[in-house]
């Protein structure tokens, strides 16, 4: 399918462009010596290879914004590619690249390019870049479109697709990690399970051979094709001495069967101050101060002096440490499957990529880097891949469900447990589509 598309695009390319693609390795070498190829930071920067930010995206999809005409060029990111080299290969000069990066500030998508992601370029009649699309996978694309001579706008397409639930269960022999992967759980799912229960059990020490685990997950597919996105709906672990369980409730948080929250509390404000001055609030319809067009402000700006300690809003893993020409030095933290926070315009970092952090840890000093009108911290909270107002959003507060929610939750627990029981029965009698 994909090959067919590639072949079609390939045939449509004029001879000159075919040569460009064929000569790409040479171009890569040559561009390494291109002095003006600084992209992010002060050095040519390798595209990030190993990290994959896990996020579950559950949203609508705007069909009309997908152009029916095939792109003029299409390129799949290879190991070792740099953004500037790839751009120069497709005649995106530095000025143009900065216009795209300016639009990128709202989504910070270019820093997440990895081998396998596809770039598509559409040109106008004069050969000018009109539209650039990054296809991360079939569920998510980011599109930069020219709206003025020197201004690009960005749009993120998240396809909902179909979500189907399935049960994965098995026995523990060795670690939960190894046993879970053998049963078909992904590394991201196992990491999430680990985080849900880390306050309740030491998996390395307390699990015994023969302990059982059961996971109900929803898995996304688009046109029969799995996207790689999944979401844990419920987990049960039967340890020799206790049962651990977690159920995803309609408020987006996990609770045990007693209705007690399993997420540790988030900080509303990631600073050592309870009421810092907010110089600019979250506003999806903000008028851009420079261009005058409507462009979202996806975060909350706190007017704090350079060097103010910035704290991790919750427990999580540092998935990105980057320097973006417009967002400045920034950090992204992933908190479990659903929550992600971003901290922009920093002065310096206290953490490194891949590091686990706890709520309240000092992760950076605030600053005024990138395009910034004065010292401040720009803070974003994303739930299921979408920016929300961090000052108002429903964040995990490490509490219990209130009385009004109890009966809805009890029904959910019963329904989930029934699914588990049926899956176990089906597996025992050798039928059913469950995995074990
Ligand atoms: Zn801001």
């Amino acid at each position: 399918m994909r090959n067919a598309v590639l072949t079609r695009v390939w045939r449509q390319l004029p001879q000159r462009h075919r040569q460009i693609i064929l000569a790409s390795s040479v171009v890569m070498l040559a561009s390494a010596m291109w002095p003006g190829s600084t992209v992010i930071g002060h050095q040519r920067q390798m595209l990030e290879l190993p990290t994959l930010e896990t996020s579950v995206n559950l949203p609508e999809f705007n069909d009309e914004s997908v152009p029916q005409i095939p792109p003029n060029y299409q390129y799949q990111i290879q190991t070792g590619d740099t953004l500037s080299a790839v751009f120069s290969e497709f005649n995106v000069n530095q000025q143009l690249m900065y216009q795209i990066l300016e639009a990128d500030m709202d989504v910070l998508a270019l820093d997440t390019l990895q081998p396998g992601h596809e770039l598509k370029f559409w040109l106008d009649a004069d050969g000018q870049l009109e539209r650039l699309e990054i296809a991360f996978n079939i569920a998510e694309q980011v599109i930069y479109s020219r709206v003025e001579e020197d201004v690009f706008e960005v749009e993120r397409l998240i396809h909902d697709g179909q979500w189907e639930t399935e049960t994965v269960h098995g026995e523990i022999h060795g670690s939960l990690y190894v046993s879970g992967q053998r049963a078909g759980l992904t590394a991201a799912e196992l990491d999430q399970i680990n985080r849900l229960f880390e306050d309740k059990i030491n998996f390395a020490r307390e699990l015994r051979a023969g302990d059982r685990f059961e996971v109900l997950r929803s898995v996304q597919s688009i046109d029969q094709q799995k996207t790689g996105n999944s979401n844990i709906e419920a987990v049960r672990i039967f340890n020799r001495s206790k049962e651990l369980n977690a159920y995803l409730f309609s408020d987006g948080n996990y609770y045990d069967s007693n209705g007690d929250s399993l997420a540790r509390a988030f900080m509303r404000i990631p600073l050592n101050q309870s009421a810092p001055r907010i110089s600019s609030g979250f506003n999806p319809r903000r008028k851009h101060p420079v261009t005058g067009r409507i462009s979202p402000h996806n975060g909350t700006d706190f007017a704090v002096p350079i060097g103010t300690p910035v704290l991790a809003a919750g427990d999580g893993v540092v998935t990105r440490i980057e320097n973006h020409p417009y967002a400045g030095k920034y950090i992204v933290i992933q908190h479990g499957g659903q929550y992600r926070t971003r901290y922009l315009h920093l002065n310096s970092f206290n953490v490194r990529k891949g590091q686990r952090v706890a709520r309240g840890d000092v992760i950076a000093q605030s600053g005024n880097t990138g395009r910034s009108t004065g010292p401040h911290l720009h803070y974003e909270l994303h739930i299921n891949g979408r920016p929300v107002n961090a000052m108002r959003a429903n964040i995990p507060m490490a509490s219990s469900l209130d009385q009004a929610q109890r009966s809805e939750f009890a029904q959910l627990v019963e329904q989930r447990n029934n699914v588990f029981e049926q899956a176990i029965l089906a597996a025992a009698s050798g039928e059913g589509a469950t995995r074990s």
Side-chain angles (χ1 to χ4, degrees), residues 24-37:
S24 65
S25 52
V26 179
V27 173
M28 290 306 206
L29 261 178
S31 67
M33 291 173 282
W34 173 32
S37 61

Side-chain angles (χ1 to χ4, degrees), residues 177-385:
Y177 196 80
V178 168
S179 311
Q181 285 206 313
R182 205 183 295 132
L185 296 174
T186 66
E189 288 164 346
L190 285 158
D191 194 46
Q192 194 181 351
I193 292 168
N194 192 44
R195 222 169 299 146
L196 279 171
F197 299 124
E198 67 189 350
D199 287 345
K200 312 220 164 209
I201 189 170
N202 182 333
F203 279 127
R205 263 199 246 141
E206 294 178 53
L207 286 181
R208 297 284 176 269
D211 286 352
R212 294 191 51 79
F213 60 92
E214 303 169 358
V215 177
L216 179 68
R217 67 179 173 192
S218 51
V219 178
Q220 187 191 36
S221 58
I222 291 174
D223 298 335
Q224 264 58 270
Q225 232 184 309
K226 294 248 166 85
T227 63
N229 291 332
S230 69
N231 203 16
I232 291 179
E233 303 287 337
V235 191
R236 298 199 300 188
I237 293 175
F238 297 95
N239 179 236
R240 193 193 301 186
S241 55
K242 55 187 160 189
E243 177 187 336
L244 300 163
N245 53 46
Y247 301 86
L248 178 62
F249 190 50
S250 55
D251 66 0
N253 295 315
Y254 290 91
Y255 298 86
D256 66 19
S257 54
N258 297 322
D260 293 326
S261 174
L262 288 161
R264 278 192 265 180
F266 257 60
M267 301 174 81
R268 184 67 75 183
I269 293 165
L271 296 165
N272 267 325
Q273 323 173 14
S274 54
R277 187 169 76 80
I278 292 176
S279 51
S280 180
F282 179 85
N283 183 358
R285 306 272 314 153
R286 180 171 73 162
K287 210 168 184 192
H288 192 285
V290 180
T291 65
R293 25 183 89 255
I294 299 294
S295 92
H297 186 233
N298 289 333
T300 304
D301 290 348
F302 299 107
V304 289
I306 292 173
T308 304
V310 177
L311 316 181
D315 296 356
V317 177
V318 177
T319 52
R320 276 201 250 166
I321 302 255
E322 298 287 349
N323 195 353
H324 186 285
Y326 294 90
K329 291 182 179 170
Y330 75 91
I331 291 178
V332 179
I333 300 178
Q334 186 75 37
H335 312 269
Q338 317 217 348
Y339 298 92
R340 181 186 300 161
T341 52
R342 289 175 168 174
Y343 312 78
L344 274 56
H345 308 299
L346 302 171
N347 196 55
S348 55
F349 304 121
N350 288 38
V351 291
R352 37 172 224 290
K353 196 169 130 184
Q355 188 174 328
R356 290 190 78 155
V357 290
R359 169 184 187 262
D361 282 355
V362 176
I363 54 169
Q365 276 70 44
S366 72
N368 190 28
T369 55
R371 187 180 65 186
S372 173
T373 49
H376 75 286
L377 171 68
H378 170 108
Y379 171 60
E380 294 181 17
L381 170 67
H382 295 220
I383 301 181
N384 288 329

